[in-house]
Amino acid sequence: MKLFIYHTPELTPSGEVPDCAIAIDVLRATTTMVTALAGGAEAVQVFSDLDKLIQESESWPTEKRIRAGERGGAKVAGFDMGNSPLDCTPEHVVGKRLFISTTNGTRSLERVQKAGAVMAGAFINRRAVVNYILSEKPETVWIVGSGWEGSFSLEDTACAGSIAHSLVAQLNLPVDQIAGNDEVIGAIALYQQWQDNLLQLMHHASHGKRLLRLDCDEDLKYCVQMDLLDVLAIQREPGVLVKK
């Protein structure tokens, strides 16, 4: 197995497709997707374009759909919700499809949607992602952070590092045998430095600061809970994730 970490979807090699890909947007898209599926959502369908989301969701009954739109950390006007996982309570999402478009996370999922297996990863479902990789043993694994508008983000790299760290430990192999690029080493080091205080790391992160200005401090506390949900959010068809 060779593991590659890319800080943003723009940094992934063009023309290549891995056996397995994990898209990460800790703050907050993939955390929200996993939480929605854990709460009983029928599926999560991702879009980078808001107009396309509206068009596609029109074919679903109003009572069976939730339109979630976020730009710049804030809810898009006219949508049912923004991008807070705390809105994905069972009472709100059970039996419904979440149609979601966010500033960063949905772009990562679209970039890797042709991979053999595609998952949404976050701190809250790290164990489920790791267990899947250990079970299926794909030859190449990409972990793709979402970053912020094309630039590096602390939170996504730390989460990628947490997955890589767990894989290295459970496979009981030297990291050099698993790491496909230098980013794997760097991400593991970042995670090891902050693993006991991930919330503080979120407060240092630029997007964490942005969310704090929007009074989303409870979201940050939720997003850093490790292995909270035993939920694998996996792609069933391009752009559509379901619980496994």
Side-chain angles (χ1 to χ4, degrees):
M1 180 191 299
K2 281 295 182 182
L3 178 64
F4 299 82
I5 290 176
Y6 300 101
H7 298 312
T8 69
E10 292 82 5
L11 293 173
T12 57
S14 60
E16 294 186 26
V17 178
D19 297 308
C20 177
I22 305 148
I24 295 176
D25 186 1
V26 170
L27 300 177
R28 294 162 290 171
T30 53
T31 303
T32 296
M33 294 171 194
V34 170
T35 304
L37 292 172
E42 174 265 333
V44 174
Q45 190 164 350
V46 301
F47 299 85
S48 56
D49 183 76
L50 291 168
D51 291 334
K52 188 174 180 182
L53 183 158
I54 293 172
Q55 181 181 356
E56 289 283 332
S57 63
E58 280 295 326
S59 62
W60 286 75
T62 304
E63 68 275 10
K64 289 291 184 180
R65 74 181 185 219
I66 299 173
R67 290 170 172 166
E70 170 268 325
R71 289 295 183 270
K75 173 187 172 184
V76 176
F79 278 64
D80 301 313
M81 59 176 275
N83 189 23
S84 173
L86 301 183
D87 290 336
C88 296
T89 61
E91 295 80 10
H92 189 204
V93 303
V94 70
K96 299 179 182 179
R97 176 167 294 206
L98 183 69
F99 295 85
I100 185 170
S101 178
T102 70
T103 307
N104 304 293
T106 47
R107 291 187 301 107
S108 292
L109 279 162
E110 287 196 340
R111 168 61 187 93
V112 299
Q113 66 182 11
K114 293 182 180 179
V118 178
M119 292 166 282
F123 285 122
I124 62 169
N125 74 330
R126 180 193 62 162
R127 184 184 294 121
V129 170
V130 169
N131 287 344
Y132 177 88
I133 295 170
L134 292 173
S135 171
E136 298 300 316
K137 300 178 176 60
E139 289 188 16
T140 55
V141 179
W142 288 6
I143 305 179
V144 182
S146 298
W148 179 261
E149 296 183 342
S151 62
F152 172 91
S153 70
L154 285 170
E155 66 276 6
D156 292 346
T157 301
C159 184
S162 75
I163 294 171
H165 180 265
S166 183
L167 285 171
V168 168
Q170 295 196 52
L171 289 169
N172 195 27
L173 293 172
V175 67
D176 287 348
Q177 288 191 27
I178 298 174
N181 59 5
D182 289 353
E183 287 88 336
V184 174
I185 310 297
I188 290 174
L190 178 66
Y191 169 69
Q192 287 180 307
Q193 180 176 350
W194 291 96
Q195 59 184 318
D196 296 325
N197 204 344
L198 290 170
L199 183 58
Q200 186 179 352
L201 180 63
M202 298 305 107
H203 285 207
H204 287 305
S206 58
H207 191 41
K209 293 177 180 178
R210 189 177 294 109
L211 291 173
L212 287 172
R213 291 193 294 269
L214 294 169
D215 297 322
C216 295
D217 49 321
E218 293 302 316
D219 278 25
L220 297 188
K221 293 175 184 177
Y222 178 85
C223 291
V224 297
Q225 294 182 83
M226 189 70 72
D227 302 331
L228 178 68
L229 301 172
D230 186 20
V231 171
L232 191 69
I234 193 163
Q235 183 173 263
R236 182 178 64 194
E237 58 191 83
V240 178
L241 301 174
V242 295
K243 176 182 175 181
K244 182 176 180 180

